[in-house]
Amino acid sequence: MDIPGYVWLLTIVGILGLLTFDFFFHVRKAHEPTLPEAAKWSAIYVGIAILFGFGVFLFGGGTMGTEYFAGYITEKALSVDNLFVFLIIMASFKVPRMDQQKVLLFGIVFALIARTGFIFLGSALINSFAWLFYLFGAFLIYTAIKLLKPEEESDEADNFIIRLAKRLFNTTERYDGDKLFTMENGKKVMTPMLLVMVAIGGTDLLFALDSVPAIFGLTQNVYIVFTATAFSLMGLRQLYFLIDGLLDRLIYLSYGLAAILGFIGVKLVLHALHENTLPFINGGEHVPVFEISTGLSLIVIIGVLAVTVLASLWSPAGRAHSAITSSRTSAKKYLAGDFSGKGQTRDEVYAQVVAHERALGLLNEKHRARAAEDEELNALLAEAHETHSTSSK
């Protein structure tokens, strides 16, 4: 179905309007969103995406509507996975909570630009070279296998671009609000804020490599691909603050995403076989294979995500992981003197340290032993108690 130019124009203007509204009314003035604020605006952005989907159903038909929702849910799930990396980057650079909104909005805008470029490039290539579905499918299956392999956690957001920037430019470890450059000892220097944005932008490019092939596996309608991707990124900033404490509980999310990407990869390969023109496969003729419908794809995606989230939240391993992470985070926050949260004092943050440490004692024997063997955690807790004891005298 061809989408009229005025519909494209109205859609792009609407998305730019939402981003502009987000900047001027929420991000321009540095602050840490409250939980009710994050929940309200997350719900509003999800509601806008759903209403748009119903509009697609109404004006574009059932097939387009189903493709939109399948794409939106898949991209939203991948976006939540991206938040894990954003969390590590901002923790590594010690970005003040009040300034994290601006970093996130930059990441969202850069991701939208990068993915839009990949979308139109991918569409042009697919229209000219249908055999690219084989490559897209193989890449998604490879990505799914990689997600199943456990990787060592790292708190370092360091890459070639960051190291090069530090070597070529005068940099400082000191933040100056949300400024990208500041004056230090009479010289103009680069603040960590610019390095954070470079790190976020670099990871956005890598995320696009997974995201765009995944949604092309569900639909080749460029308008649906673009809008599903754009609306999945809308509200990601609010979602970050809403589920900040929940992210570490989703311990099985990578397995769920691996299942979804693997499923879409197989779907792409089957579609490539069905449309085959490669001479060394079936003599260049189409291969009669079963093709997975978009409706079935939507059911599988929702089902996998539901099982993944519920298993993560209800499992003892998920609760243990959350307790250990919360304890480590609160101890680091206390030791860093980060009392920037609304109404927080040194004593209130220390009370969080004590409460989270108590939660560790309520875990079952297996997970209590895991916490006891965590040398970094126990060193942080010991230092927090000693520091508080000294400061109280």
Side-chain angles (χ1 to χ4, degrees):
M1 177 181 176
D2 291 329
I3 305 299
Y6 72 88
V7 175
W8 271 101
L9 180 62
L10 289 174
T11 303
I12 292 170
V13 168
I15 290 169
L16 291 176
L18 286 173
L19 289 170
T20 304
F21 173 84
D22 212 13
F23 176 76
F24 282 103
F25 288 91
H26 294 118
V27 176
R28 194 177 184 185
K29 184 180 179 182
H31 74 287
E32 180 182 350
T34 62
L35 192 61
E37 179 187 348
K40 179 180 77 173
W41 285 102
S42 291
I44 288 173
Y45 279 110
V46 171
I48 291 171
I50 291 173
L51 284 174
F52 182 85
F54 284 137
V56 173
F57 259 116
L58 183 63
F59 295 103
T63 300
M64 281 185 66
T66 305
E67 289 176 350
Y68 167 81
F69 279 111
Y72 172 75
I73 293 169
T74 300
E75 293 298 302
K76 199 70 174 177
L78 290 170
S79 296
V80 171
D81 191 45
N82 297 356
L83 292 181
F84 282 100
V85 181
F86 289 170
L87 191 65
I88 291 172
I89 290 173
M90 287 195 278
S92 175
F93 282 101
K94 298 181 175 63
V95 181
R97 291 282 289 180
M98 294 180 68
D99 295 319
Q100 289 182 5
Q101 289 203 93
K102 189 160 287 186
V103 175
L104 287 166
L105 185 60
F106 167 81
I108 290 167
V109 172
F110 191 88
L112 186 55
I113 294 170
R115 294 183 193 193
T116 299
F118 277 114
I119 286 167
F120 285 101
L121 176 62
S123 175
L125 290 173
I126 286 171
N127 287 334
S128 302
F129 308 103
W131 52 265
L132 279 173
F133 282 116
Y134 285 115
L135 292 183
F136 280 6
F139 179 75
L140 288 182
I141 293 170
Y142 167 74
T143 304
I145 293 170
K146 275 191 67 179
L147 281 173
L148 293 175
K149 293 180 179 178
E151 296 181 4
E152 288 187 15
E153 291 185 9
S154 172
D155 289 330
E156 295 299 321
D158 198 14
N159 57 40
F160 172 74
I161 297 175
I162 299 296
R163 293 195 299 272
L164 185 64
K166 287 182 177 179
R167 186 176 301 172
L168 296 179
F169 302 100
N170 292 322
T171 61
T172 178
E173 300 298 321
R174 179 178 63 87
Y175 283 93
D176 186 6
D178 56 10
K179 293 180 181 177
L180 304 182
F181 293 91
T182 189
M183 298 300 294
E184 193 173 82
N185 299 323
K187 292 182 179 179
K188 191 174 185 180
V189 294
M190 183 187 298
T191 70
M193 183 62 72
L194 183 56
L195 296 178
V196 173
M197 290 187 173
V198 170
I200 292 286
T203 55
D204 278 334
L205 286 174
L206 294 177
F207 291 146
L209 294 177
D210 296 341
S211 166
V212 174
I215 194 167
F216 268 119
L218 298 168
T219 176
Q220 283 82 61
N221 186 312
V222 179
Y223 182 76
I224 296 300
V225 172
F226 172 74
T227 52
T229 300
F231 281 112
S232 73
L233 292 170
M234 296 289 106
L236 196 60
R237 176 184 62 78
Q238 293 87 348
L239 189 64
Y240 173 87
F241 289 97
L242 179 63
I243 66 173
D244 189 1
L246 184 62
L247 282 174
D248 285 305
R249 284 289 294 274
L250 301 178
I251 60 173
Y252 299 127
L253 180 62
S254 61
Y255 297 105
L257 291 176
I260 290 171
L261 291 178
F263 172 79
I264 297 174
V266 170
K267 183 178 187 294
L268 275 171
V269 172
L270 290 174
H271 180 71
L273 288 168
H274 188 267
E275 302 293 327
N276 178 64
T277 55
L278 294 178
F280 53 85
I281 298 178
N282 198 36
E285 298 296 323
H286 300 336
V287 181
V289 294
F290 170 75
E291 281 214 87
I292 301 170
S293 68
T294 306
L296 178 58
S297 298
L298 181 59
I299 293 170
V300 169
I301 291 165
I302 293 174
V304 168
L305 286 176
V307 170
T308 298
V309 172
L310 292 176
S312 296
L313 296 179
W314 289 350
S315 72
R319 291 196 294 271
H321 187 82
S322 176
I324 291 171
T325 302
S326 297
S327 190
R328 180 183 288 108
T329 302
S330 60
K332 283 183 177 179
K333 185 174 184 178
Y334 180 80
L335 292 171
D338 182 6
F339 311 122
S340 58
K342 190 170 284 188
Q344 283 190 323
T345 64
R346 174 180 293 275
D347 288 338
E348 286 173 335
V349 176
Y350 181 71
Q352 290 179 357
V353 174
V354 174
H356 290 147
E357 188 176 9
R358 238 183 240 129
L360 296 176
L362 299 177
L363 300 174
N364 61 34
E365 186 177 348
K366 174 186 174 183
H367 294 112
R368 279 202 311 273
R370 176 185 160 196
E373 292 169 2
D374 192 323
E375 294 180 3
E376 183 201 16
L377 172 63
N378 289 297
L380 286 168
L381 291 172
E383 187 180 351
H385 292 313
E386 184 179 348
T387 302
H388 187 75
S389 178
T390 303
S391 65
S392 300
K393 290 179 181 177

